[in-house]
Amino acid sequence: IVLIQAKALPQLLESPSIDINPIIEIMGTSIANINQTAEQQVKAHLDKHQKNGLEKWISDGQGYIESDNCPFCDQSLEGVEIIQAYQSYFNQEYRGLKSDVARLGSLINQVCSDGIIDRLKTRCETTNAVIGGWQEHLEIAYPIFNEAEARGALSNIRCILETLKQQKECNLLESVDIAEQSNQIHDEWQVIINAVNSCNDNINSALQQITQYKESLGGLNIGLLEQQIKELELVKIRFSAHTIDLFNQLDTSKQAES
């Protein structure tokens, strides 16, 4: 009974949390102090070509200009009005925002890490192993963590954030309103929390069964149980094949003497 009382108990799953505030902050950042003339020239150039990602391509290209000649065609850039507009438009503040946007990928990976679901799955498996150790005493239902549903919700959150990331990359200077997407992310995250809560409900039921069983053991008379066990062992010996054979031999001997 002492060993039973000392057996490990199943542990609840820890509900994970999500923090998309750093992503929201970057999405909501805009730059207002761009030279208006330079902005008009650059925007007109971008509108003329209508290519997705062109602004990022041009911005990246500024890092390759190391002389007065174009690194692409080797023609002189001196006095080229659009190049001067680029230099004003893609200023230090722009580069800072661009650097922040480049961090979005790693931030999204942190928020949507597969490790979140992996840890919940592992914890549930460990809990089931503990419950398995109680099955010799009780019939306990094993908790179930809906891994597929949780992974699907996490995947949906990643898709939402990746779409917003692409939108921000294509419109770097503009603030991206993600109020609607925030609600969608909250709903998807709630799916994961619901899976955790459902599993924890089952674990709590198992804990209640185990607790009641342990309490029932506390009311037993240990001395009486030990005496009953000894009596049962004696009865078992009395009716064993060897003991019965000895009694048969004794009876045969008595009959022979008479």
Side-chain angles (χ1 to χ4, degrees), residues 200-217:
N200 280 341
D201 287 343
N202 293 332
I203 296 173
N204 276 323
S205 295
L207 280 168
Q208 185 176 6
Q209 282 183 260
I210 293 170
T211 300
Q212 291 174 348
Y213 176 70
K214 290 175 68 175
E215 289 175 350
S216 69
L217 293 179

Side-chain angles (χ1 to χ4, degrees), residues 77-105:
L77 300 175
E78 187 175 355
V80 178
E81 189 174 354
I82 189 64
I83 297 298
Q84 294 173 348
Y86 289 159
Q87 292 170 348
S88 176
Y89 184 80
F90 300 115
N91 58 23
Q92 184 175 355
E93 192 174 1
Y94 181 97
R95 291 193 294 273
L97 177 56
K98 181 181 174 184
S99 176
D100 286 340
V101 171
R103 293 172 46 231
L104 285 173

Side-chain angles (χ1 to χ4, degrees), residues 66-86:
E66 298 177 347
S67 66
D68 291 334
N69 290 345
C70 173
F72 185 71
C73 65
D74 204 31
Q75 295 186 51
S76 174
L77 300 175
E78 187 175 355
V80 178
E81 189 174 354
I82 189 64
I83 297 298
Q84 294 173 348
Y86 289 159

Side-chain angles (χ1 to χ4, degrees), residues 50-63:
Q50 292 290 317
K51 297 290 184 180
N52 289 331
L54 180 59
E55 182 173 333
K56 181 179 183 298
W57 183 77
I58 295 174
S59 172
D60 291 343
Q62 301 305 297

Side-chain angles (χ1 to χ4, degrees), residues 150-175:
R151 288 194 187 279
L154 193 65
S155 176
N156 291 340
I157 292 173
R158 176 180 288 277
C159 289
I160 293 170
L161 292 176
E162 287 288 353
T163 300
L164 289 170
K165 171 177 171 286
Q166 294 171 9
Q167 184 179 345
K168 183 63 176 176
E169 287 173 343
C170 293
N171 301 276
L172 195 65
L173 299 181
E174 299 177 8
S175 173

Side-chain angles (χ1 to χ4, degrees), residues 99-211:
S99 176
D100 286 340
V101 171
R103 293 172 46 231
L104 285 173
S106 62
L107 291 174
I108 292 172
N109 287 336
Q110 292 174 20
V111 169
C112 302
S113 171
D114 288 335
I116 296 171
I117 309 301
D118 291 340
R119 286 188 291 273
L120 292 170
K121 177 186 176 184
T122 299
R123 185 61 173 268
C124 184
E125 290 173 346
T126 301
T127 295
N128 281 336
V130 172
I131 289 175
W134 286 94
Q135 295 291 358
E136 62 179 309
H137 311 292
L138 297 165
E139 185 176 341
I140 305 175
Y142 286 103
I144 298 175
F145 172 65
N146 196 330
E147 178 189 356
E149 194 171 82
R151 288 194 187 279
L154 193 65
S155 176
N156 291 340
I157 292 173
R158 176 180 288 277
C159 289
I160 293 170
L161 292 176
E162 287 288 353
T163 300
L164 289 170
K165 171 177 171 286
Q166 294 171 9
Q167 184 179 345
K168 183 63 176 176
E169 287 173 343
C170 293
N171 301 276
L172 195 65
L173 299 181
E174 299 177 8
S175 173
V176 178
D177 183 10
I178 69 168
E180 180 181 350
Q181 289 84 350
S182 293
N183 291 332
Q184 293 174 356
I185 290 171
H186 176 271
D187 291 343
E188 293 293 345
W189 190 258
Q190 190 59 47
V191 171
I192 298 174
I193 298 301
N194 289 343
V196 172
N197 290 341
S198 176
C199 186
N200 280 341
D201 287 343
N202 293 332
I203 296 173
N204 276 323
S205 295
L207 280 168
Q208 185 176 6
Q209 282 183 260
I210 293 170
T211 300

